[in-house]
Amino acid sequence: MIGLLTFHWADDYGAMLQAYALKRYLEKAGRSVEFIPYAPVKLTGRYWWCPLAASEQEGKLRYWPSRSGWKRNLALGGDFWKRKRAMCRFRRQRLAPPPKRGLKRISLEKYSCVFVGSDQVWNPVITVGLDSAYLGNLPGKESCRLVSYAASFGASALPAEAAGTFAEAVGKNFAAVSVRERRAAPFLSSLLRREVEDALDPVLLLEREEWERLGNRPAEEGYILVYSAEYNEPMLRYAQQLARRLQIKAVQISMPLRGKLPEGIELRVQGGPAEFVGYLQNAACVLTNSFHGTAFSVLLEKPFFAFRHSFLNARLEDLLEKLGLQARIRTEPPPLDSGELWEAVDWAGVRERLDAERARSGRFIQENLRERGEPS
């Protein structure tokens, strides 16, 4: 049995789809796979109706209700619950039963191999300090082979105060290490004093046709799709102006991050991961500052701009550099009449580069995948 330790518990499109993709990839290779049911309140609380925020102070966790998140969810009303139900349905049908909230009764003894990642499992900002479980400090770890697959700390390096703890735990617990960001691999290789590879986010391991089968398309089509990982005024303003210019709708499928959306941008947050893919399938173009928004724009070969995130750019830029799509990265939008968004992309060349990256990432998985009784 192969175990996966990741963010499958998160009510987040990218987190759930990368978890689905790695599970699906391994199952297609003939492996039995299940998610390790680790889902601590310090992480899952942020997705509650009344969101719970957490911080680590002097080694202790502190919790408090997020007023801004609560106000947002109140404003969404029924749409929040529709989204919640869609997330739960996808998790139940495609991933795993509802996970436990802590480490009690969790053990790695039943697994021959455990993949940790993908997603930002090593980002201390996301995990409220480095999370011991994602560093491999779990009961029964001696009985299995621990491997990180495309794990991420969201940048090209860890904060200095976290590096020592990280190096000690990962160096001791993991048989092999790969990260999602290419520019993070040299840093980690130096820190751990071993070879560290970069590997594709799992969503990119699956072919376009598989995602098209999964997607639940909406009735509407031909809109500008907006997907935000953080508030970006130039991107939203460009979406608004482009919609007016083309006389089509602009639709945002990410949760609102700062008050009301600009006039002319309509909110669609009722769906789960299958609806996320469906909305991308039916879009005329995509404007995003999200890694997974960018990844699915590439997979579905949509005209897109990837706007820079204020501090999480490494993974997005690395992906587009690997695929020769650097021209799609933006800090500010081009003039409305430039036509740059619609410029033809050499998608055949992109597919060729992506196939090469898939093969390389697949080799890493196969070289480190071991069931009991197989030679290492």
Side-chain angles (χ1 to χ4, degrees):
M1 176 69 72
I2 306 302
L4 301 182
L5 181 61
T6 187
F7 289 170
H8 71 290
W9 42 260
D11 286 348
D12 177 270
Y13 302 136
M16 294 177 77
L17 288 168
Q18 64 82 24
Y20 166 80
L22 187 53
K23 180 175 184 284
R24 177 71 178 142
Y25 181 86
L26 292 167
E27 287 175 339
K28 287 171 67 177
R31 306 291 180 161
S32 296
V33 186
E34 70 176 27
F35 290 97
I36 295 167
Y38 177 63
V41 171
K42 68 173 182 175
L43 304 180
T44 58
R46 66 192 64 170
Y47 300 105
W48 294 355
W49 169 242
C50 183
L52 193 66
S55 68
E56 188 178 48
Q57 297 178 3
E58 298 179 353
K60 295 182 179 180
L61 287 171
R62 175 175 168 264
Y63 297 95
W64 68 95
S66 169
R67 291 183 180 179
S68 61
W70 172 233
K71 288 180 180 178
R72 179 200 64 194
N73 293 345
L74 278 174
L76 290 173
D79 283 349
F80 173 88
W81 294 109
K82 290 177 183 177
R83 174 188 172 93
K84 190 77 172 175
R85 284 193 294 271
M87 293 286 190
C88 291
R89 183 170 58 250
F90 185 90
R91 185 178 294 111
R92 183 178 63 253
Q93 294 175 350
R94 305 280 186 172
L95 301 180
K100 300 180 178 69
R101 288 182 172 171
L103 286 176
K104 292 181 180 179
R105 294 178 293 144
I106 291 177
S107 173
L108 304 187
E109 289 181 1
K110 65 184 288 188
Y111 306 106
S112 57
C113 182
V114 171
F115 285 96
V116 178
S118 178
D119 226 320
Q120 297 181 65
V121 294
W122 290 341
N123 184 339
V125 176
I126 298 292
T127 58
V128 193
L130 287 173
D131 189 286
S132 187
Y134 296 114
L135 298 183
N137 295 321
L138 287 160
K141 64 185 178 183
E142 299 81 9
S143 67
C144 69
R145 179 179 176 86
L146 270 175
V147 178
S148 79
Y149 179 77
S152 172
F153 32 82
S156 56
L158 275 167
E161 62 273 16
T165 300
F166 176 89
E168 181 180 359
V170 172
K172 176 180 64 177
N173 293 333
F174 283 79
V177 176
S178 69
V179 290
R180 186 167 57 187
E181 291 79 26
R182 177 167 289 175
R183 63 192 67 185
F187 164 79
L188 205 50
S189 181
S190 175
L191 183 66
L192 299 176
R193 298 182 181 180
R194 66 157 85 170
E195 182 181 2
V196 173
E197 298 185 34
D198 64 281
L200 285 177
D201 184 282
V203 302
L204 296 158
L205 295 175
L206 302 185
E207 301 281 350
R208 173 180 179 171
E209 292 73 21
E210 187 149 1
W211 290 118
E212 289 181 332
R213 288 193 296 271
L214 179 78
N216 185 11
R217 293 175 181 246
E220 54 193 338
E221 58 184 14
Y223 41 79
I224 300 162
L225 186 131
V226 180
Y227 185 57
S228 303
E230 71 169 356
Y231 186 82
N232 186 301
E233 181 67 32
M235 182 174 73
L236 291 173
R237 187 171 59 249
Y238 182 62
Q240 181 187 48
Q241 294 170 351
L242 191 62
R244 288 174 182 166
R245 180 72 169 264
L246 300 176
Q247 295 187 326
I248 61 176
K249 282 193 285 191
V251 171
Q252 176 168 312
I253 58 171
S254 47
M255 296 287 266
L257 298 170
R258 189 184 296 177
K260 293 183 178 179
L261 292 174
E263 183 181 352
I265 300 180
E266 301 177 17
L267 196 62
R268 302 284 190 275
V269 294
Q270 305 96 324
E275 288 73 31
F276 166 82
V277 176
Y279 263 99
L280 276 148
Q281 286 175 275
N282 278 9
C285 63
V286 180
L287 306 176
T288 186
N289 57 8
S290 151
F291 173 84
H292 284 109
T294 301
F296 277 96
S297 298
V298 171
L299 284 163
L300 298 172
E301 299 184 3
K302 294 290 180 179
F304 75 96
F305 280 145
F307 286 76
R308 285 186 168 87
H309 194 280
S310 61
F311 61 93
L312 294 176
N313 280 311
R315 54 186 179 157
L316 189 151
E317 291 178 350
D318 278 354
L319 172 62
L320 295 183
E321 287 170 7
K322 286 177 181 178
L323 302 180
L325 290 170
Q326 300 95 316
R328 294 285 148 176
I329 302 172
R330 294 282 157 172
T331 301
E332 293 285 338
L336 275 177
D337 58 359
S338 73
E340 291 179 46
L341 177 61
W342 312 105
E343 287 179 357
V345 171
D346 176 16
W347 288 115
V350 171
R351 289 193 294 272
E352 186 177 343
R353 294 185 187 95
L354 183 53
D355 284 342
E357 292 293 334
R358 279 189 183 124
R360 194 168 62 83
S361 296
R363 282 194 297 272
F364 176 85
I365 291 174
Q366 293 301 323
E367 288 169 2
N368 289 288
L369 189 61
R370 177 170 59 87
E371 296 275 16
R372 284 193 178 91
E374 294 182 1
S376 58

